Amino acid sequence: MPQTALILLIPLLPLLGFLILGLFSRRISGPVSAGIATTFIAGSTALAIILAHGYFFEWGSDDSGFRQIRALDIPWLVFDRDLRIDMGALVDPISVMMLLVISVVSLMVHVYSSSYLKGEARMPVYYAFLGLFTFSMMGLVLSANLFQIYIFWELVGVSSFLLIGYYYQKPSAVAAAKKAFIVTRFADLGFLIGILVLGYEARSLDFLTLIERLTSVDDPDFHALIAPSFLGCSAITWGLALVFMGGMGKSAMFPLHIWLPDAMEGPTPVSALIHAATMVVAGVFLLARLGLFDHVADRLHDVLPGRIRTGW
């Protein structure tokens, strides 16, 4: 199987399960829906294992180490000669490992849920929501630029809202779903502003280009980036701080952790999938994917005097 087709099939299988169960939920029984959803996620898991084996042991490395591979690059939005957004899939060690974690944990949750929710009238709807969440997380870790990752970031938030509020007959579940949605949207507003700041300064939203342009000491614009601006902080400091705010909300860090205890109103398997294994690590993945924090700190260590460096 071609590498691009293999990579794209991994998130598309849960999406296909979501569409089938979402469109025909009233015509499919609970056990059948569990079988359909579990089959699709099992297929994604098998493909993720094949991808990991191929990437780590066959075609993913060269003499300099593991490569970052653009598996897909489709032009989408062109703003001017320099700034554009292309939809793509970026494969590297962290995205491959995250695909493995997401697919394996999601498969276990699918299998366990078939017994946990046995007899539930809305089982097809539940499995449809699980498929949407799995697709959103997989799309997030494969995103090649900040705007694309923001799209899937919000899809993860919507999926979380739907799963937490699954027992919509209970007022407490509805309140918990709204609380999680509102708190994480507040954090995501900061994330969006941070994306705009970094994209404006770098004239790109692509991860590889963004890191290169914002960490190039030889570029005369770099010193303008690290110069104090609003409230004494540089533009790049504000951009990174606001992006970090988005990660704080998704990973339930203080003080944006208040939605997490109430989120237990959803089915217990949902808590295993969202709050323990995948959604909470999305914030950590974002910081690792962006990589600017380490790169900028290294560059500042080289170009700034010791006193200023310590204060930054």
Side-chain angles (χ1 to χ4, degrees):
M1 182 182 295
Q3 296 173 11
T4 301
L6 172 64
I7 294 166
L8 293 181
L9 272 176
I10 294 174
L12 288 180
L13 286 178
L15 177 63
L16 182 59
F18 161 71
L19 293 175
I20 292 175
L21 296 178
L23 291 173
F24 304 103
S25 59
R26 298 192 178 185
R27 303 180 184 179
I28 301 175
S29 65
V32 172
S33 66
I36 293 173
T38 304
T39 300
F40 279 117
I41 192 60
S44 283
T45 304
L47 293 177
I49 294 172
I50 294 172
L51 173 65
H53 180 272
Y55 181 81
F56 287 117
F57 299 105
E58 296 178 8
W59 47 264
S61 61
D62 52 27
D63 295 336
S64 60
F66 290 107
R67 297 179 292 140
Q68 290 184 314
I69 301 172
R70 289 291 294 264
L72 187 69
D73 201 0
I74 301 176
W76 185 33
L77 297 175
V78 179
F79 298 102
D80 58 31
R81 185 165 54 92
D82 298 321
L83 184 59
R84 55 186 290 165
I85 299 175
D86 298 333
M87 301 298 285
L90 179 62
V91 177
D92 62 0
I94 187 174
S95 62
V96 173
M97 288 305 300
M98 280 296 295
L99 281 177
L100 275 177
V101 171
I102 294 166
S103 58
V104 170
V105 172
S106 183
L107 176 60
M108 292 189 291
V109 169
H110 276 69
V111 172
Y112 180 76
S113 296
S114 62
S115 296
Y116 184 87
L117 294 176
K118 187 176 182 179
E120 285 274 354
R122 298 177 65 240
M123 267 186 79
V125 176
Y126 170 81
Y127 274 105
F129 293 163
L130 279 185
L132 177 62
F133 179 86
T134 306
F135 161 73
S136 303
M137 278 298 304
M138 290 179 172
L140 189 153
V141 302
L142 287 173
S143 296
N145 61 71
L146 268 176
F147 190 78
Q148 187 180 346
I149 208 173
Y150 185 77
I151 294 173
F152 287 106
W153 193 268
E154 295 305 310
L155 275 176
V156 169
V158 171
S159 307
S160 172
F161 169 80
L162 294 172
L163 286 168
I164 294 171
Y166 173 73
Y167 297 117
Y168 67 92
Q169 306 91 337
K170 298 170 55 179
S172 57
V174 174
K178 290 191 294 185
K179 184 176 182 179
F181 189 81
I182 292 171
V183 172
T184 52
R185 293 298 72 70
F186 175 76
D188 292 350
L189 175 61
F191 183 24
L192 178 59
I193 297 173
I195 291 174
L196 297 177
V197 171
L198 294 178
Y200 175 80
E201 297 294 342
R203 306 301 298 164
S204 175
L205 292 173
D206 180 80
F207 286 121
L208 304 181
T209 307
L210 193 71
I211 293 172
E212 179 182 356
R213 291 182 180 176
L214 293 182
T215 58
S216 178
V217 178
D218 297 330
D219 190 336
D221 293 334
F222 180 77
H223 293 275
L225 285 173
I226 62 176
S229 57
F230 183 65
L231 295 180
C233 294
S234 65
I236 195 169
T237 302
W238 277 112
L240 292 177
L242 289 168
V243 168
F244 182 71
M245 179 180 174
M248 288 175 61
K250 197 69 75 182
S251 294
M253 300 179 190
F254 179 85
L256 299 175
H257 66 290
I258 55 175
W259 63 269
L260 189 56
D262 299 277
M264 304 302 286
E265 289 289 342
T268 299
V270 170
S271 298
L273 179 64
I274 295 179
H275 312 131
T278 54
M279 179 175 169
V280 170
V281 302
V284 180
F285 169 81
L286 172 65
L287 303 186
R289 161 61 73 228
L290 196 54
L292 276 172
F293 294 87
D294 289 337
H295 286 287
V296 172
D298 291 341
R299 299 302 183 271
L300 288 173
H301 187 276
D302 296 334
V303 302
L304 290 184
R307 182 177 300 176
I308 299 177
R309 186 167 67 233
T310 304
W312 191 90

